[in-house]
Amino acid sequence: MSAAGRKDPAAVETEVREKIHLEILKRTGAYHANDHILLPSGQHTTEYIEKTLVTTEPSFTEGLGAVIAKHFAQWPIDMVLSTGPGALILSHCVARAHPSRPIVVYGAKGLSGGKRRVSLPVEFQRLIRPGAKILLIEDLVSTGSTLNLLINLVEQLGGLVVGIGCLWRRTSVELDDNRSVFSLVSRDFPTYDRTSAPSASGAHRSTKSSSAAATPAAPPRSKSPKKPSRAG
């Protein structure tokens, strides 16, 4: 094989690793492929990730959390910060596997004045001392807006974001200041309009929101068989 045709060993390793992690997500039932899914935007796709199922298998979540912890093992960490139940479960797994044995805190997402915001309980704010080294953990990163809000909040409190890790990140996502994100899977879902959507073997599904689980469309009702009429 010519030098031009050889793949970079690091790129091959990353590709293999992502395939393994993707297979794990399939086994949890969180990842759907070769399906027909209607998104809230009206676009169609053949792939979807059900956020609520990502961390339902404890052994898988512990293993994936350990992979993230190993990536950041060379950096001392005081605290792991996340938002949402799935990310919080993953954060505990990362913190247990990291050699620094950091504490785990979490924020809450909400709206204020029509704008998205992230807040921390006062008790957690007191734990973020000036110079505290913080690792941000998310389960799925689709737009990066939550991470940007978390980064701003940590910096306002005097902490330092030393790394960002997640299970799944859309490859098109870019954070403020071009911060890098370590993700076990980096993948975008192709979307199509109704006329160009490819056929898929799965049942038609629809979603109520971008982070909601996909739900199968209701099957058509079957008609009751007519009773045979008696001869008069």
Side-chain angles (χ1 to χ4, degrees), residues 68 71-72 75 134-138 141 144 147-148 151 161-166 169-171 173-183 186:
I68 296 176
H71 178 80
F72 292 103
W75 292 285
I134 300 173
L135 174 64
L136 302 185
I137 293 295
E138 279 289 341
V141 178
L147 285 174
N148 284 326
I151 293 169
V161 175
V162 296
I164 304 170
C166 68
R169 176 182 66 90
R170 293 181 61 182
T171 55
V173 171
E174 292 186 3
L175 299 182
D176 294 345
D177 299 326
N178 293 321
R179 290 178 181 265
S180 62
V181 178
F182 173 71
S183 57
S186 298

Side-chain angles (χ1 to χ4, degrees), residues 142-164:
S142 56
T143 65
S145 59
T146 298
L147 285 174
N148 284 326
L149 290 171
L150 279 175
I151 293 169
N152 292 335
L153 179 59
V154 168
E155 292 178 345
Q156 288 173 10
L157 295 172
L160 300 174
V161 175
V162 296
I164 304 170

Side-chain angles (χ1 to χ4, degrees), residues 9-199:
V12 173
E13 182 181 350
T14 299
E15 184 179 345
V16 172
R17 185 176 65 239
E18 285 202 359
K19 287 182 178 179
I20 293 172
H21 299 151
L22 189 60
E23 190 61 33
I24 291 174
L25 292 176
K26 285 182 181 178
R27 293 184 63 181
T28 66
Y31 174 62
H32 295 270
N34 194 28
D35 213 336
H36 183 191
I37 299 152
L38 176 62
L39 300 173
S41 62
Q43 294 285 298
H44 297 247
T45 184
T46 57
E47 299 178 51
Y48 193 75
I49 187 84
E50 293 196 36
K51 186 171 183 177
T52 53
L53 298 180
V54 167
T55 53
T56 53
E57 291 282 352
S59 59
F60 292 159
T61 308
E62 287 177 3
L64 295 173
V67 174
I68 296 176
K70 182 179 179 180
H71 178 80
F72 292 103
Q74 59 184 310
W75 292 285
I77 294 173
D78 301 312
M79 183 181 302
V80 178
L81 172 61
S82 64
T83 62
L88 179 58
I89 293 171
L90 180 62
S91 293
H92 274 272
C93 297
V94 173
R96 288 186 62 184
H98 195 278
S100 296
R101 292 295 189 268
I103 63 173
V104 177
V105 297
Y106 58 89
K109 292 181 282 189
L111 291 174
S112 178
K115 295 183 178 180
R116 295 187 62 184
R117 62 187 297 268
V118 171
S119 60
L120 282 179
V122 175
E123 295 82 0
F124 290 163
Q125 292 185 30
R126 294 169 182 163
L127 295 175
I128 303 180
R129 298 180 175 87
K133 300 176 179 63
I134 300 173
L135 174 64
L136 302 185
I137 293 295
E138 279 289 341
D139 45 5
L140 306 180
V141 178
S142 56
T143 65
S145 59
T146 298
L147 285 174
N148 284 326
L149 290 171
L150 279 175
I151 293 169
N152 292 335
L153 179 59
V154 168
E155 292 178 345
Q156 288 173 10
L157 295 172
L160 300 174
V161 175
V162 296
I164 304 170
C166 68
L167 291 181
W168 188 296
R169 176 182 66 90
R170 293 181 61 182
T171 55
S172 56
V173 171
E174 292 186 3
L175 299 182
D176 294 345
D177 299 326
N178 293 321
R179 290 178 181 265
S180 62
V181 178
F182 173 71
S183 57
L184 301 187
V185 178
S186 298
R187 188 180 180 91
D188 278 329
F189 294 146
T191 57
Y192 314 88
D193 58 31
R194 184 174 181 180
T195 57
S196 61
S199 59

Side-chain angles (χ1 to χ4, degrees), residues 222-230:
S222 58
K223 295 182 180 180
S224 301
K226 293 181 180 180
K227 295 181 179 179
S229 57
R230 295 182 180 180

